[in-house]
């Protein structure tokens, strides 16, 4: 994996980033209610998968056990998307170590009511830049389902190119694998 750390980056993961319309901050336990909502949306389950979160406590455990350790270890991970106007929690974006992939993976998800407004691209472009410039990542990958055309389009707009079909552990579905060049 290409996981070179940048000594200038804050090791505690308290990195906040801004785009034109968004503030991106590390996911925290206080976001459990939001994660519970987002991860149980029909599109999330269809295109990303059922994370089996049924309660706020499940969502807190997911954040505690999945998001926080990577952020602490690497300095980057999953970020909450907040609108500057209105301070609305609208989605998540991040760079993840994913079992079955050799290259870290960029991912994004939005509440349905905020789709189609360019937020996911704006956030993902910023996080891709942070990963490569601030953390020295040489390559970033992305995976998506064959029927998630909007994600395929966004991934390609980020400059990643389709490479092959892959399967990852505990997921029988064949996924499209993209990578930076």
């Amino acid at each position: 994996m290409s996981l070179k750390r940048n000594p200038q980056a804050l090791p505690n993961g308290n990195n906040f980033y801004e785009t034109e319309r968004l503030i991106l901050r590390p996911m925290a336990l206080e976001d459990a209610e939001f994660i519970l909502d987002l991860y149980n949306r029909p599109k999330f389950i269809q295109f990303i998968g059922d994370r089996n979160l049924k309660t706020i406590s499940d969502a807190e455990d997911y954040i505690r056990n999945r998001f926080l350790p990577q952020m602490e270890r690497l300095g980057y991970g999953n970020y909450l998307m907040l609108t500057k106007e209105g301070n609305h929690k609208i989605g998540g974006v991040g760079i993840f170590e994913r079992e079955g992939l050799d290259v870290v993976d960029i991912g994004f998800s939005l509440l349905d009511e905020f789709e189609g407004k360019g937020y996911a691209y704006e956030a993902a472009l910023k996080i891709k830049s942070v990963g490569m410039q601030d953390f020295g990542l040489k390559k970033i990958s992305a995976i998506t389902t064959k029927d998630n055309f909007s994600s395929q389009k966004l991934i390609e707009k980020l400059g990643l190119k389709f490479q092959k079909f892959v399967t990852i552990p505990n997921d029988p579905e064949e996924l499209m694998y993209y990578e930076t060049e």
Side-chain angles (χ1 to χ4, degrees):
M1 265 186 218
S2 178
L3 299 175
K4 187 182 113 200
R5 290 284 311 258
N6 177 344
Q8 312 306 324
L10 297 174
N12 62 7
N14 287 331
N15 302 337
F16 283 61
Y17 302 103
E18 282 190 53
T19 67
E20 182 183 338
R21 300 177 295 161
L22 299 170
I23 294 171
L24 308 174
R25 69 154 172 81
M27 285 285 182
L29 290 175
E30 69 194 47
D31 302 316
E33 190 173 337
F34 174 76
I35 289 296
L36 182 64
D37 178 18
L38 179 65
Y39 282 30
N40 282 293
R41 297 280 177 119
K43 282 186 180 178
F44 188 98
I45 291 170
Q46 176 187 358
F47 292 130
I48 298 174
D50 188 350
R51 299 298 188 249
N52 213 17
L53 304 180
K54 304 300 180 207
T55 65
I56 290 177
S57 179
D58 290 344
E60 287 172 346
D61 288 344
Y62 196 85
I63 293 167
R64 185 180 296 109
N65 298 322
R66 299 285 297 265
F67 298 159
L68 299 182
Q70 181 184 312
M71 189 67 76
E72 289 169 13
R73 191 166 31 85
L74 301 176
Y76 59 85
N78 198 7
Y79 297 86
L80 178 73
M81 291 183 220
L82 289 157
T83 60
K84 286 182 178 178
E85 187 177 312
N87 204 37
H88 300 289
K89 295 180 180 184
I90 66 167
V93 62
I95 297 176
F96 309 96
E97 288 185 313
R98 194 174 304 276
E99 191 179 355
L101 297 181
D102 293 332
V103 177
V104 291
D105 167 57
I106 193 165
F108 42 85
S109 54
L110 279 177
L111 295 175
D112 303 347
E113 54 269 33
F114 293 97
E115 288 180 359
K117 297 174 175 24
Y119 289 122
Y121 174 72
E122 188 175 320
L125 187 64
K126 179 66 175 182
I127 292 303
K128 176 186 171 212
S129 170
V130 165
M132 297 187 104
Q133 293 174 11
D134 295 359
F135 290 94
L137 299 175
K138 301 295 181 211
K139 285 188 173 189
I140 293 177
S141 70
I143 52 176
T144 190
T145 59
K146 295 174 189 174
D147 59 346
N148 192 344
F149 302 113
S150 59
S151 281
Q152 292 167 28
K153 188 175 163 186
L154 194 156
I155 290 165
E156 290 170 0
K157 191 174 177 182
L158 288 171
L160 283 74
K161 304 286 184 234
F162 174 76
Q163 304 291 319
K164 60 188 174 183
F165 291 100
V166 298
T167 54
I168 58 174
N170 304 315
D171 186 352
E173 186 172 6
E174 194 174 57
L175 302 169
M176 297 177 74
Y177 176 84
Y178 294 78
E179 202 172 89
T180 52
E181 293 188 298

